[in-house]
Amino acid sequence: MHYSIPALNRARRLSFSVFLLALSAVAPRLAAAQANPATVRLQPDDAARGLSGPQHNFYFLPPGKTGEDYQNAGFFGQKLRPYLGTNAEALSNLTDYRRQKTLFLADRLVAVGALGLYGSQVFTKDGGQQYFNGAQQVAAGLFVASLLATIPINRHTNKHLQQAVSAYNNGLTGAQGSQWQRWSPSTAGLRLGLQGTPLLALGWSLR
């Protein structure tokens, strides 16, 4: 079977046009996947917490999830940990958050225990009331110390979980960017093939 030269040229031009059309359709999807990786998203109010902010649990959207169905990260952030993978910086920040929450919990227990000790000493065995005996002085001292300790403990607690999420997201974005740069062509252009057929020329540099 024989084909005329004009027919072959038309076929090659058609194939080249189809290839460019397919490339133009795929390229935006690749760019979108690179620009929008599967990151962890904190609830807006939680993401905006500043220094000495509230100490209630954080809520987050796992990687790849959309909408408003935020999940509870847990008191120590333990429900977030499985989503951070092997990102060492993110896991380190989450460990710091757990430490601060442990200190916060211990501080609350000391305050409650001091109040209980003080109250138990109000009524003495002989039916009278005392408000500043030796045991009550110790309890009052513990309570004041607990209140003072709350200030530095609470000041930086929230930022550790926020930094854990940021470290994970930044690491994910950087890893995808490095893979794209690694496999993307170093040169691209058009050249003429046999019989003047336009060809897309891509080149990769060996490193």
Side-chain angles (χ1 to χ4, degrees):
M1 184 178 294
H2 299 282
Y3 296 95
S4 64
I5 296 300
L8 287 174
N9 288 337
R10 285 196 299 271
R12 291 190 179 102
R13 285 195 296 269
L14 179 60
S15 298
F16 182 68
S17 300
V18 172
F19 172 76
L20 289 180
L21 182 62
L23 184 62
S24 64
V26 172
R29 296 181 182 179
L30 293 175
Q34 182 184 4
N36 299 297
T39 56
V40 173
R41 287 174 47 205
L42 289 177
Q43 192 176 47
D45 290 344
D46 293 339
R49 287 193 209 178
L51 297 177
S52 302
Q55 296 299 306
H56 56 74
N57 293 357
F58 280 84
Y59 286 80
F60 71 99
L61 281 179
K65 296 291 185 179
T66 58
E68 301 298 325
D69 188 19
Y70 291 92
Q71 296 185 17
N72 191 330
F75 186 80
F76 298 103
Q78 69 275 11
K79 295 180 181 179
L80 174 63
R81 184 175 292 271
Y83 297 102
L84 300 182
T86 58
N87 188 305
E89 183 180 358
L91 294 175
S92 177
N93 279 294
L94 192 62
T95 298
D96 291 339
Y97 176 75
R98 182 178 62 188
R99 179 201 65 213
Q100 292 299 111
K101 294 293 284 187
T102 301
L103 292 174
F104 170 80
L105 182 61
D107 182 59
R108 296 298 88 194
L109 291 176
V110 169
V112 172
L115 286 177
L117 176 61
Y118 185 91
S120 68
Q121 297 295 315
V122 171
F123 297 98
T124 59
K125 294 180 180 180
D126 57 6
Q129 296 181 354
Q130 295 186 12
Y131 293 97
F132 211 62
N133 61 23
Q136 289 172 324
Q137 293 179 29
V138 172
L142 288 174
F143 184 76
V144 171
S146 174
L147 291 180
L148 294 176
T150 298
I151 298 175
I153 291 174
N154 290 1
R155 182 167 178 78
H156 297 288
T157 298
N158 290 324
K159 77 173 185 179
H160 291 299
L161 190 138
Q162 293 167 337
Q163 288 175 344
V165 172
S166 296
Y168 171 78
N169 291 340
N170 292 337
L172 181 63
T173 304
Q176 290 198 355
S178 63
Q179 291 178 2
W180 174 260
Q181 293 174 358
R182 178 181 178 184
W183 296 110
S184 61
S186 57
T187 60
L190 294 175
R191 67 179 180 84
L192 296 178
L194 297 177
Q195 302 178 352
T197 305
L199 299 175
L200 178 64
L202 302 176
W204 285 265
S205 61
L206 299 177
R207 299 177 182 177

